[in-house]
Amino acid sequence: MESKLRFAQDLIRDAGNYIRQGLGKDLAIEAKSRFDDLVTNFDKETQQLIVSRIQETYPEDQLMAEENDLRHPITDGKVWVIDPIDGTVNFIVQKEDFAIMIAYFEDGVGQFGLIYDVMKDELYSGGLGFPAMVNDKLLPVFDNRPLERSLVGSNGSMYAQNKRGIKDFIDHSLGVRVYGGAGISMAYVLKGRLLAYFSHLYPWDYAAAQIIGDCLGYTLLTLDWEQPDYQTRQMVMFIPKSYQQELKNYLT
Amino acid sequence: MESKLRFAQDLIRDAGNYIRQGLGKDLAIEAKSRFDDLVTNFDKETQQLIVSRIQETYPEDQLMAEENDLRHPITDGKVWVIDPIDGTVNFIVQKEDFAIMIAYFEDGVGQFGLIYDVMKDELYSGGLGFPAMVNDKLLPVFDNRPLERSLVGSNGSMYAQNKRGIKDFIDHSLGVRVYGGAGISMAYVLKGRLLAYFSHLYPWDYAAAQIIGDCLGYTLLTLDWEQPDYQTRQMVMFIPKSYQQELKNYLT
C-alpha cells in the first residue's frame, strides 16, 4: 500500500503543478445545476490527468470522480475517489483556497486520503497505517479544546438558516468561518484552525478528510448521526469524535 | 510625506516580526466586553512598540488606537490611527489571518494607510499621491465585474441576520465568505478576491482600507449611506463606488 500512497502523492502534486502553470490562461467556465455551481476546463483537464495516470498504472482499479459521471461504488473492489478541483468558485474568482482531493478504498475501507491545498503547496495525507501529515509535519491529534475557545467552519447558507441547529452550536464558539471549499475547510479542521465543519457534500468532497481524520480523533457523519452513504449529496459534519455528546444538545 | 510613509512601512513590518517571533510563546488572553471579544498581551505589546516609535520620531503627532483608550480625534492635527492586531481571535486560535493596520491623517484627511497581513508577509499600502500596492505589486483598480461573478465578505452574524438586507444582496453573488478579520477581508477586496465587505467596525478597523481603496474605486460608508464618524462602532460596508446604485436596490 505504501507504493500506492507514494504514487498518489506524486500524482496530486503533479496535478497541482498543472493547475498552477495554467493560472494565467483564460478559463472556459460553464454553469452546471445553477448559476453558482460552476465547472471549468481545468476541472475536467485535471481530472483527466489524474484518471489517465491511475488507469495506466493500476488498470484493474475503479473510479468515482466529480466530473464525467464516474460513479463506481466504493464498496466494490479497489476504488479511487477524485475531486480534481474542490472550491471551483474560489479557483475562478480568487485563484486561492481550492484543493485537489484523492481517496483510495478497498472493499469500502478507506486506505488513504490526500488533500492538496494547491496555492499554499500544502499536502495533507494519512490513512490506515500511515501517519497523518501536512507536508513533512505530523498533524495534531484533537486536543479536546472547549467550544468557547474554538472557531467553526460552515457552509454559509446552512449557517444562516440555522439548519438543524448548527448556528445555535456555532454561536457558542468564538465564531463562524466560511472559506468556500470543503477541502480547505476540512484541512483547517485537521490542522486545528477549526474545531468542526458543516456542509452539504458529495462523496468526493469528504472521502479524503474522513480517512485522514479518523486517526486524529475526528469523524464524518450526516446531520442524522449516520455514516454518509458515499453516493448522494448529504448534509454532513466533520467533528471531533469526543464532541458527539455535546453536539447532540444543540442539533435537532 | 514620503519619508513618513517609509517610516510607517518599516514600523509595521518590525511590528509584524515582533509578533511572528513571539508566536511560540504562551499568550495571556483576557475577555473585554464579552467572551468572544478578546485581547492578548501581544495586542498591547505590539501597540506599545508602534506607539513608542511614533512618539520618539514624531513627538508632536497624536494617536487614536484600539487598546489603552487612545482616542485623539482624526480631525485635529496630525493623527495616527492604529490597530495592533486586527483579527485577534484568528491570531489566538489559528495563528493566521490577522493584520496590523496603521492610517495617518492630517486635519481629517487620510494621507496614507497600511494593512499588513503578518503571516503571509503581505503589506498593502497607498494614499494621497502614493500608488496602492501590495508589497512591490500595484493593486488593481476595480474592474466592474458583475455581482453574479463575485464573492462578498461579511461579518457572519450580520449575514445570518440579513441585517438591512445584506444577505439578499450577497445571495445574488457567487457566495459569502467569512474570514473573521476586517483587515484581511478588506485587503481581499483591494486584491479583487472579494467584491465588497460588510461588518460592524471601529475607526481603527476601517481607516487604512478606506484610504488605500479610495484611488482604486472603493468607498467605505455606513449602512445609512453616510461617511463613518471615526468615533463609534458602526455598521459599515467597503464597496466599489460604482455599486452604490445597485446596492440601493437591496439595502433597506
Side-chain angles (χ1 to χ4, degrees), chain A residues 113-204:
Chain A
L114 305 170
I115 303 172
Y116 186 39
D117 181 336
V118 175
M119 300 311 290
K120 289 208 182 94
D121 188 26
E122 290 185 341
L123 177 56
Y124 298 76
S125 65
L128 275 184
F130 301 113
M133 319 270 290
V134 52
N135 290 346
D136 55 0
K137 232 179 96 181
L138 283 173
L139 285 164
V141 172
F142 179 65
D143 61 1
N144 289 313
R145 64 191 176 283
L147 180 60
E148 66 271 19
R149 289 277 168 175
S150 303
L151 291 165
V152 180
S154 181
N155 168 299
S157 96
M158 283 170 64
Y159 172 75
Q161 293 168 47
N162 192 22
K163 190 69 87 179
R164 307 290 293 277
I166 63 171
K167 182 170 182 294
D168 298 331
F169 172 72
I170 295 174
D171 287 349
H172 285 78
S173 77
L174 287 173
V176 71
R177 294 292 178 266
V178 180
Y179 298 113
I184 64 148
S185 299
M186 293 195 282
Y188 290 170
V189 173
L190 295 170
K191 217 182 206 180
R193 281 183 63 165
L194 298 176
L195 177 80
Y197 175 65
F198 297 85
S199 195
H200 192 196
L201 301 179
Y202 289 103
W204 42 85

Side-chain angles (χ1 to χ4, degrees), chain A residues 10-247:
Chain A
D10 291 345
L11 175 56
I12 207 166
R13 285 191 181 275
D14 287 349
N17 275 332
Y18 178 79
I19 294 173
R20 279 192 300 266
Q21 282 166 10
L23 274 186
K25 294 182 196 155
D26 281 346
L27 288 177
I29 302 169
E30 289 166 52
K32 293 197 282 191
S33 61
R34 35 172 287 163
F35 85 100
D36 56 356
D37 179 21
L38 301 173
V39 63
T40 74
N41 55 317
F42 271 92
D43 298 71
K44 296 174 186 174
E45 291 164 21
T46 305
Q47 179 168 314
Q48 191 45 43
L49 182 157
I50 295 169
V51 164
S52 62
R53 284 265 292 272
I54 291 171
Q55 287 176 330
E56 275 163 37
T57 315
Y58 301 105
E60 314 284 297
D61 289 6
Q62 305 295 330
L63 297 157
M64 175 189 286
E66 181 173 17
E67 314 302 336
N68 298 334
D69 290 319
L70 296 170
R71 297 288 184 274
H72 194 88
I74 62 154
T75 45
D76 177 39
K78 300 177 175 187
V79 188
W80 297 79
V81 180
I82 299 156
D83 191 345
I85 300 184
D86 177 79
T88 298
V89 169
N90 286 353
F91 169 67
I92 295 169
V93 177
Q94 306 197 315
K95 312 273 191 248
E96 290 188 59
D97 284 355
F98 57 92
I100 308 173
M101 294 197 276
I102 296 178
Y104 176 70
F105 291 81
E106 293 193 350
D107 298 326
V109 179
Q111 303 294 313
F112 57 76
L114 305 170
I115 303 172
Y116 186 39
D117 181 336
V118 175
M119 300 311 290
K120 289 208 182 94
D121 188 26
E122 290 185 341
L123 177 56
Y124 298 76
S125 65
L128 275 184
F130 301 113
M133 319 270 290
V134 52
N135 290 346
D136 55 0
K137 232 179 96 181
L138 283 173
L139 285 164
V141 172
F142 179 65
D143 61 1
N144 289 313
R145 64 191 176 283
L147 180 60
E148 66 271 19
R149 289 277 168 175
S150 303
L151 291 165
V152 180
S154 181
N155 168 299
S157 96
M158 283 170 64
Y159 172 75
Q161 293 168 47
N162 192 22
K163 190 69 87 179
R164 307 290 293 277
I166 63 171
K167 182 170 182 294
D168 298 331
F169 172 72
I170 295 174
D171 287 349
H172 285 78
S173 77
L174 287 173
V176 71
R177 294 292 178 266
V178 180
Y179 298 113
I184 64 148
S185 299
M186 293 195 282
Y188 290 170
V189 173
L190 295 170
K191 217 182 206 180
R193 281 183 63 165
L194 298 176
L195 177 80
Y197 175 65
F198 297 85
S199 195
H200 192 196
L201 301 179
Y202 289 103
W204 42 85
D205 296 319
Y206 58 70
Q210 182 175 36
I211 298 171
I212 303 170
D214 191 43
C215 295
L216 297 172
Y218 300 95
T219 187
L220 191 132
L221 297 169
T222 70
L223 296 194
D224 296 313
W225 302 96
E226 289 172 355
Q227 294 296 319
D229 64 15
Y230 275 91
Q231 294 181 37
T232 61
R233 192 176 185 202
Q234 293 179 290
M235 286 194 288
V236 297
M237 51 189 173
F238 188 51
I239 58 172
K241 292 174 186 177
S242 58
Y243 262 74
Q244 293 184 64
Q245 197 49 53
E246 182 160 2
L247 258 164

Side-chain angles (χ1 to χ4, degrees), chain A residues 159-160 167 176 178, chain B residues 154-161 176 178 198-199:
Chain A
Y159 172 75
K167 182 170 182 294
V176 71
V178 180
Chain B
S154 180
N155 167 301
S157 97
M158 284 170 62
Y159 172 75
Q161 293 168 47
V176 70
V178 181
F198 296 85
S199 195

Side-chain angles (χ1 to χ4, degrees), chain B residues 188-230:
Chain B
Y188 290 170
V189 173
L190 295 170
K191 216 180 206 180
R193 280 182 64 164
L194 299 175
L195 176 80
Y197 176 65
F198 296 85
S199 195
H200 191 199
L201 301 179
Y202 290 103
W204 43 85
D205 296 320
Y206 58 72
Q210 181 174 36
I211 298 171
I212 303 170
D214 191 42
C215 295
L216 297 172
Y218 299 96
T219 187
L220 190 132
L221 296 170
T222 70
L223 296 194
D224 296 313
W225 302 96
E226 289 171 354
Q227 294 295 320
D229 65 14
Y230 275 92

Side-chain angles (χ1 to χ4, degrees), chain B residues 52-68:
Chain B
S52 63
R53 284 265 293 273
I54 291 171
Q55 285 175 331
E56 275 163 36
T57 314
Y58 302 104
E60 315 284 297
D61 290 7
Q62 305 295 330
L63 297 157
M64 175 189 283
E66 180 172 15
E67 313 303 335
N68 298 335

